[in-house]
Amino acid sequence: MAVWIQAQQLQGDALHQMQSLYGQHFPIEVRHYLSQWIEGQLWDAIDLENPQEEYKAKRLLEGLIQELQNKADHQVGEDGFLLKIKLGHYASQLKSTYDRCPLELVRCIKHILYTEQRLVREATNSNSPVGGMIDSMSQKYQQINQAFEELRLLTQDTENDLRKLQHNQEYFIIQYQESLRIQAQLTSLATLPPADRQLREPTLLSKRATVDAWLTREANTLQKYRLDLAEKHQKTLQLLRKQQNFILDDELIQWKRRQQLAGNGGPPEGGLDILQSWCEKLAETIWQNRQQIRKAEHLRQQLPLPGPIEELLNELNSTITDIISALVTSTFIIEKQPPQVLKTQTKFAATVRLLVGGKLNVHMNPPQVKATIISEQQAKALLKNENTRNDSSGEILNNNCVMEYHQTTGTLTAHFRNMSLKRIKRSDRRGAESVTEEKFTILFESQFSVGSNELVFQVKTLSLPVVVIVHGSQDNNATATVLWDNAFAEPGRVPFLVPDKVLWPQLCEAINMKYKAEVQSNRGLSEENLVFLAQKAFSSSSNNPEDYRGMTMTWSQFNRESLPGRNFTFWQWFDGVMELTKKHLKPHWNDGAILGFVNKQQAQDMVMSKPNGTFLLRFSDSEIGGITIAWVAENPNKAGERMVWNLMPYTTKDFTIRSLADRISDLNHLLFLYADRPKDEVFSKYYTPPLSKAVDGYVKPQIKQVVPEFATANPDLSVGNQTFMDQGASPATVNHPHAYGIYPPMSDTMLDPDGDFDLDDTMDVARHVEELLRQPVASQWGGQQS
């Protein structure tokens, strides 16, 4: 389907060229709804100039029509009704058009696919990674569908052989009965007079000899048929196992890996529809072969013959049972993972899906799924098939759910919508491990039968590791544990082992992925940003990226040991930057207005080479989730000397009161964003519009920011409006706390227990500020009425 997906993204003339390929001879709707099947067939294997290849083309035509009819039969609902009629009409139309000339259908589709591939290649540039990916995916789909076609033909062949065996065996039994009848007649001759016996006996003996000779030959033939059929089934099962291993151990595992990386902000894992269609084809083929093997066993019991066939059939039956068991247990998966940072007493959701549920009619007796939280040690014991005595590590409310079959999509799922972790039982921690490093998992388990209770399966699947917290303040450390696990877990690991150290480039890839997802930006971390982070992580001064490529970072360095001279870890600092940017700075980051990852000395060197009033924005080194402004201006104490000033860092609390753009607008001594962009050109679109005129004779006060040392530089400031000052600044050599001119510093009571901003408390502070603002205004204009 990869080519068709790309073809739909064509534009302009290329799109018109693609659309012109379709019409009455081959409707575009057929291409759309059967895209995967069409791209999976071996159209190039048919020689259009060889009339003897017509039978292959005929088979493809029949397959196309069958796929269309199957697609039509699955349509339900009001919209599905119209599509069902349309697809049925196309099936009849194509049969009528190409039934007598199937090679023309092959010619038509080959032309369509060739042209689409050429148009896509030209649009995406075949040398690009995207182009290579399309070819690779298309080739992979073709290989899988080719194997399914081979399995279909093998299964059809063994079905025909089984019918032939049954027919011959039935005729053998009839002849055997005839032999018994002749024997009975010979036995009855003993009661006849000798003359009559001598007259009839030779004929009967000759007849018996002929029948017995035929029976002997036919018994050998039947035995050979049975052995040949068993050998064909062995070949089919080998190919089935190979195809199933490829789909389950490669494609499904890759999907699960993409799902895990999506937890770190990677691209979405993609839908399961194609995987489900493959798994359903596997289930259908396995079940057909299982029925054939059971029928062969029934024929053997009906007519036992000496030889190795009984052992062979037992082996085949055991193999096919193993194959279907592996398919069912492996396709019981978690479509939507529970949150990996899981807070107690908080509602959460998850979705479990059985990819073969529809084909095996599991929904006829809908199974129930149960969710349990277990520890890392319990997960290890479970995978070793050790008896865990149904232990759990906590209590989940609303943890039972019945699987539902959705006829429109053909999916069998269990949607857990209102689960809640009531309590958690923690294990003894190892060494310096904190509660936010302890991993749990949600175990989903169910039991169901297939084939009229012929086979009963107990299925289990584990969620990605979860870290349980009880307070929002634990979230950032828990996220670090999850990030490390998602990024560096290896397939097939023992739960939930991860390397203790990783190469710096590997970590860069993980945190860049997380940063772009959290900030929701295509602008990720540049090489210069990553060098800055390496300097911070390794206490290094090197500016050469190559110096860090071979370096490793341990988990302790990442989020257990504090940075030198600080009381926070590398991750805690980085997470603070992400949170601040996500909540308040996203548009400015996307615009490239924030350099951010620059240290204090670098910032000074950069702005000192520029005119006065040049400034830049960088993330604070000393405060989690802080951003500061560095600018160059005259030294007030030394005429003709310039110096760099650094504003005390802004945090989320500051931006809740007044945005970054408005604060920059307030400071008229800031003129150019580094290197030389006028600040209004960059930030004006984010300025808060001016307040409306007075209402009912009252003027609404407002908060503005000034830097005391630069107050005279602001032409809008006069003695009458100095009350708008709220935050001071300091030179590069000074480091002092925030100084507010008109109201006391805001306390942390504005934040709720989760560290989120509380709106009610914020409104109280705002009202308090307004009252304070009115007081100096009243004293200044003391002689006037308010």
Side-chain angles (χ1 to χ4, degrees):
M1 194 162 63
V3 175
W4 180 241
I5 289 175
Q6 297 294 317
Q8 292 175 79
Q9 297 172 8
L10 294 172
Q11 296 180 351
D13 184 55
L15 179 61
H16 292 308
Q17 287 185 56
M18 187 269 286
Q19 290 172 333
S20 67
L21 296 170
Y22 300 98
Q24 292 256 338
H25 61 288
F26 197 81
I28 196 169
E29 291 89 345
V30 176
R31 175 71 174 101
H32 180 73
Y33 288 106
L34 298 189
S35 55
Q36 181 194 344
W37 185 88
I38 289 170
E39 291 180 35
Q41 306 310 305
L42 300 176
W43 306 101
D44 287 334
I46 298 178
D47 183 1
L48 296 173
E49 307 307 319
N50 184 359
Q52 294 182 354
E53 298 271 85
E54 187 167 305
Y55 78 96
K56 292 183 182 177
K58 185 84 170 175
R59 201 160 61 206
L60 283 169
L61 172 62
E62 291 170 354
L64 178 70
I65 291 168
Q66 185 62 49
E67 288 289 326
L68 267 175
Q69 289 172 339
N70 290 344
K71 197 75 177 177
D73 292 343
H74 282 88
Q75 305 305 314
V76 294
E78 189 174 330
D79 295 336
F81 174 71
L82 296 174
L83 184 56
K84 183 174 186 176
I85 294 175
K86 185 179 283 190
L87 293 177
H89 168 71
Y90 290 146
S92 303
Q93 177 183 316
L94 290 172
K95 182 174 175 60
S96 171
T97 304
Y98 296 109
D99 199 34
R100 294 188 180 183
C101 52
L103 284 171
E104 288 305 309
L105 172 70
V106 177
R107 190 188 307 277
C108 168
I109 293 179
K110 283 176 74 171
H111 172 67
I112 286 172
L113 291 175
Y114 172 79
T115 308
E116 283 181 353
Q117 287 168 353
R118 177 178 60 79
L119 291 171
V120 167
R121 200 161 46 242
E122 290 172 357
T124 60
N125 183 356
S126 60
N127 294 324
S128 71
V130 176
M133 192 184 302
I134 294 168
D135 293 341
S136 174
M137 288 176 65
S138 182
Q139 186 178 9
K140 187 192 297 180
Y141 289 169
Q142 195 171 44
Q143 288 173 351
I144 290 173
N145 283 293
Q146 182 182 351
F148 274 126
E149 178 63 15
E150 189 177 348
L151 283 167
R152 187 185 70 80
L153 293 175
L154 286 171
T155 304
Q156 192 175 59
D157 187 35
T158 48
E159 183 66 35
N160 293 335
D161 285 357
L162 192 59
R163 286 200 197 98
K164 184 178 178 181
L165 174 63
Q166 183 178 6
H167 174 76
N168 290 353
Q169 182 167 310
E170 287 171 352
Y171 188 67
F172 180 92
I173 291 171
I174 291 171
Q175 293 303 310
Y176 181 72
Q177 293 297 327
E178 176 66 14
S179 174
L180 292 177
R181 189 178 65 79
I182 293 170
Q183 182 61 42
Q185 288 177 342
L186 283 169
T187 305
S188 68
L189 288 180
T191 62
L192 296 178
D196 290 343
R197 186 168 64 245
Q198 288 175 0
L199 181 66
R200 299 176 63 182
E201 190 173 44
T203 304
L204 288 172
L205 286 172
S206 174
K207 197 172 182 181
R208 187 182 71 176
T210 303
V211 172
D212 285 353
W214 183 89
L215 286 173
T216 302
R217 289 195 310 274
E218 191 61 20
N220 290 330
T221 302
L222 284 175
Q223 189 70 299
K224 185 176 183 304
Y225 279 171
R226 288 177 176 181
L227 289 171
D228 288 347
L229 180 61
E231 287 177 3
K232 285 186 176 180
H233 273 129
Q234 283 179 328
K235 181 182 177 183
T236 302
L237 297 195
Q238 284 175 358
L239 183 57
L240 251 178
R241 194 187 286 276
K242 181 181 177 183
Q243 178 82 329
Q244 179 163 298
N245 288 345
F246 181 73
I247 290 170
L248 299 183
D249 297 343
D250 190 351
E251 295 299 307
L252 185 56
I253 293 297
Q254 284 184 28
W255 181 89
K256 289 182 176 180
R257 180 60 182 148
R258 290 196 300 272
Q259 185 186 52
Q260 189 171 26
L261 289 176
N264 276 4
E269 60 270 32
L272 285 165
D273 292 346
I274 292 178
L275 267 172
Q276 175 161 317
S277 72
W278 289 339
C279 292
E280 286 179 338
K281 283 182 180 178
L282 282 171
E284 193 172 16
T285 307
I286 292 168
W287 199 254
Q288 287 171 351
N289 279 274
R290 184 175 184 274
Q291 296 302 94
Q292 288 179 12
I293 292 167
R294 295 189 68 198
K295 190 172 182 180
E297 172 63 20
H298 174 71
L299 291 175
R300 187 202 65 78
Q301 291 173 355
Q302 192 180 47
L303 182 62
L305 294 171
I309 189 64
E310 181 178 1
E311 185 179 341
L312 277 173
L313 286 173
N314 287 339
E315 185 182 325
L316 286 171
N317 194 52
S318 174
T319 301
I320 198 80
T321 302
D322 288 345
I323 291 173
I324 195 170
S325 178
L327 178 66
V328 172
T329 53
S330 298
T331 55
F332 182 67
I333 63 173
I334 303 171
E335 182 176 14
K336 179 188 175 185
Q337 291 281 342
Q340 287 186 263
V341 176
L342 190 57
K343 189 179 176 185
T344 55
Q345 311 293 337
T346 303
K347 188 172 78 171
F348 68 96
T351 301
V352 178
R353 180 166 167 179
L354 181 63
L355 297 179
V356 295
K359 277 294 177 190
L360 296 179
N361 292 323
V362 175
H363 59 283
M364 301 303 288
N365 185 19
Q368 188 172 79
V369 184
K370 180 182 179 182
T372 314
I373 188 164
I374 61 175
S375 68
E376 184 174 331
Q377 291 303 319
Q378 289 167 337
K380 287 177 184 176
L382 186 71
L383 292 190
K384 290 179 183 176
N385 292 319
E386 295 177 2
N387 182 15
T388 56
R389 305 186 305 281
N390 296 320
D391 284 347
S392 71
S393 289
E395 181 183 353
I396 299 178
L397 303 179
N398 304 316
N399 66 329
N400 286 287
C401 184
V402 176
M403 298 195 87
E404 298 177 356
Y405 182 67
H406 306 273
Q407 193 168 358
T408 309
T409 56
T411 57
L412 184 69
T413 55
H415 293 284
F416 291 85
R417 294 183 175 87
N418 295 295
M419 287 192 289
S420 176
L421 182 59
K422 184 178 179 181
R423 61 178 181 83
I424 190 68
K425 183 170 67 178
R426 299 192 183 275
S427 57
D428 294 334
R429 291 187 292 282
R430 303 179 291 265
E433 186 182 81
S434 68
V435 293
T436 54
E437 294 178 46
E438 186 178 4
K439 300 172 191 173
F440 297 87
T441 181
I442 309 294
L443 166 66
F444 295 92
E445 50 190 336
S446 184
Q447 177 178 305
F448 48 81
S449 61
V450 297
S452 304
N453 294 324
E454 290 176 26
L455 297 171
V456 178
F457 295 102
Q458 288 187 332
V459 293
K460 300 177 181 182
T461 187
L462 297 174
S463 75
L464 293 173
V466 300
V467 178
V468 177
I469 63 173
V470 297
H471 193 277
S473 61
Q474 298 171 311
D475 184 83
N476 64 344
N477 289 325
T479 302
T481 302
V482 168
L483 174 79
W484 191 277
D485 192 280
N486 286 345
F488 310 122
E490 295 179 358
R493 64 173 172 172
V494 175
F496 289 108
L497 292 182
V498 284
D500 183 59
K501 61 181 179 180
V502 295
L503 286 170
W504 173 249
Q506 290 179 286
L507 184 62
C508 288
E509 184 180 352
I511 61 178
N512 187 35
M513 182 185 292
K514 183 70 173 177
Y515 187 84
K516 288 200 291 187
E518 288 294 314
V519 180
Q520 297 176 339
S521 171
N522 290 325
R523 183 193 169 201
L525 302 174
S526 66
E527 189 169 64
E528 292 79 10
N529 298 155
L530 295 173
V531 166
F532 168 84
L533 291 173
Q535 292 171 337
K536 181 177 286 290
F538 300 115
S539 300
S540 170
S541 59
S542 172
N543 290 319
N544 186 358
E546 295 301 320
D547 291 346
Y548 302 105
R549 299 213 183 279
M551 296 182 73
T552 58
M553 189 169 195
T554 65
W555 165 252
S556 291
Q557 287 174 296
F558 183 66
N559 195 45
R560 192 177 281 171
E561 301 167 359
S562 294
L563 291 169
R566 307 295 182 197
N567 60 353
F568 47 79
T569 66
F570 173 84
W571 164 256
Q572 289 166 350
W573 181 88
F574 183 77
D575 183 59
V577 164
M578 280 197 305
E579 283 297 304
L580 181 71
T581 308
K582 177 173 69 174
K583 290 180 179 177
H584 302 288
L585 308 178
K586 189 189 306 180
H588 308 305
W589 173 262
N590 289 335
D591 290 347
I594 298 175
L595 287 180
F597 299 96
V598 178
N599 64 41
K600 198 170 188 179
Q601 186 58 52
Q602 286 175 314
Q604 288 186 205
D605 294 343
M606 291 166 74
V607 296
M608 277 296 284
S609 65
K610 298 298 177 182
N612 286 349
T614 301
F615 68 99
L616 61 76
L617 297 156
R618 69 174 187 87
F619 297 121
S620 170
D621 283 315
S622 58
E623 187 162 355
I624 293 179
I627 189 169
T628 183
I629 300 175
W631 75 96
V632 62
E634 295 294 331
N635 185 341
N637 299 321
K638 278 193 179 182
E641 182 179 296
R642 302 195 314 154
M643 64 181 296
V644 175
W645 297 71
N646 290 279
L647 205 60
M648 288 298 297
Y650 299 124
T651 63
T652 288
K653 288 192 288 187
D654 300 310
F655 292 135
T656 309
I657 299 169
R658 190 157 176 79
S659 72
L660 175 65
D662 286 339
R663 289 175 181 272
I664 290 173
S665 173
D666 294 342
L667 303 177
N668 285 356
H669 57 277
L670 302 182
L671 303 176
F672 302 102
L673 177 67
Y674 183 88
D676 56 4
R677 298 169 67 188
K679 74 172 182 183
D680 288 344
E681 180 185 298
V682 180
F683 295 101
S684 61
K685 58 186 172 183
Y686 304 112
Y687 295 162
T688 301
L691 295 174
S692 58
K693 295 181 179 179
V695 179
D696 296 332
Y698 288 96
V699 177
K700 188 173 182 181
Q702 69 182 74
I703 301 172
K704 282 193 176 182
Q705 175 186 251
V706 296
V707 176
E709 290 86 342
F710 290 83
T712 56
N714 188 338
D716 293 336
L717 286 175
S718 63
V719 177
N721 58 14
Q722 286 177 0
T723 54
F724 298 141
M725 183 188 306
D726 80 70
Q727 184 168 334
S730 65
T733 54
V734 180
N735 184 16
H736 62 76
H738 291 306
Y740 293 93
I742 57 170
Y743 54 88
M746 293 164 50
S747 69
D748 287 341
T749 55
M750 290 171 57
L751 302 180
D752 65 18
D754 294 341
D756 295 327
F757 204 76
D758 188 289
L759 182 59
D760 293 336
D761 288 346
T762 306
M763 295 304 295
D764 290 341
V765 171
R767 282 190 284 270
H768 178 58
V769 169
E770 288 190 8
E771 290 172 7
L772 288 171
L773 282 169
R774 291 193 187 100
Q775 291 173 10
V777 171
S779 63
Q780 255 180 340
W781 306 94
Q784 300 181 19
Q785 296 296 319
S786 63

